[in-house]
Amino acid sequence: MFADTLLIVAISICTALFAEGVTYILVYRTEKYKKLKASIEKQTKKLDKKKETVTDISRQPGHKKKIEKEEERLKSEKRDLSYVKMQSMFVIGFIFTSLMGMFNSIFDGRVVGKLPFTPISFLQGISHRNLAGDDYTDCSFIFLYILCTMSIRQNIQKMLGFAPSRAVS
């Protein structure tokens, strides 16, 4: 059981690195992404500066329209950035789905971990998927894999410098 748990963590690390590699190739290295990201960061700083300088918007009606116009521009560029990222999300989603099917067949019916708690009812279907018995503290592959991938991928993005800045998100 412990070896299976470590194997799933290793699989999760490898798939997260692979996903970031695909995302780098399809998104992060493109000029369009770089331009949009720089523009969004620049506009966010500009908008924050305008909001700081204007203390009472109701007294200065011209500034309110300028701020709203800047916010609309920023919203539009964030939408464009999301569209650029969406291409890789489809590819990664397809790859993860096929990999999950393959790994699910390998670990089908095997307890890969023991949870220190009994999951709430709507999570028991995932945490105890394809396992025999009624011990809901037993953990299936799919539950552990999803948890590991979610946490590990976020950390890998931060380590590689691909996590979106606060201005972009």
Side-chain angles (χ1 to χ4, degrees):
M1 180 166 59
F2 186 68
D4 287 341
T5 303
L6 290 178
L7 180 61
I8 291 171
V9 171
I11 289 169
S12 183
I13 291 171
C14 291
T15 55
L17 285 170
F18 180 73
E20 286 310 306
V22 169
T23 304
Y24 176 77
I25 290 170
L26 296 177
V27 177
Y28 296 136
R29 72 177 186 165
T30 63
E31 280 301 313
K32 187 173 184 178
Y33 173 80
K34 291 176 184 176
K35 286 179 185 177
L36 281 171
K37 186 178 176 187
S39 176
I40 288 172
E41 288 175 353
K42 182 181 172 185
Q43 282 188 343
T44 302
K45 288 178 185 176
K46 188 177 176 182
L47 186 63
D48 288 343
K49 230 180 227 185
K50 279 186 178 182
K51 284 183 178 180
E52 286 175 7
T53 57
V54 177
T55 55
D56 191 7
I57 293 178
S58 61
R59 291 184 187 171
Q60 301 169 355
H63 284 304
K64 185 177 181 181
K65 279 193 174 188
K66 286 181 184 178
I67 289 174
E68 287 175 357
K69 191 175 179 181
E70 288 291 324
E71 286 175 343
E72 281 300 316
R73 248 189 247 141
L74 188 61
K75 198 183 296 183
S76 172
E77 288 201 355
K78 284 183 180 181
R79 187 173 36 249
D80 292 344
L81 186 66
S82 294
Y83 178 72
V84 169
K85 286 182 173 183
M86 195 178 304
Q87 298 167 335
S88 76
M89 284 187 219
F90 283 124
V91 172
I92 290 170
F94 178 74
I95 292 169
F96 272 10
T97 304
S98 57
L99 285 174
M100 196 172 319
M102 180 184 71
F103 292 132
N104 214 4
S105 66
I106 293 170
F107 292 100
D108 191 33
R110 287 169 54 183
V111 176
V112 297
K114 198 80 164 158
L115 300 173
F117 58 90
T118 302
I120 52 179
S121 61
F122 70 89
L123 288 179
Q124 286 178 357
I126 297 173
S127 68
H128 200 70
R129 185 180 186 129
N130 295 338
L131 297 179
D134 291 331
D135 185 6
Y136 290 109
T137 60
D138 288 344
C139 182
S140 67
F141 159 77
I142 193 84
F143 187 68
L144 185 61
Y145 178 75
I146 288 171
L147 288 178
C148 288
T149 301
M150 284 181 1
S151 60
I152 290 171
R153 187 154 185 230
Q154 294 288 324
N155 289 317
I156 286 176
Q157 284 177 339
K158 286 179 186 174
M159 285 187 325
L160 296 175
F162 296 148
S165 67
R166 290 183 155 195
V168 174
S169 61

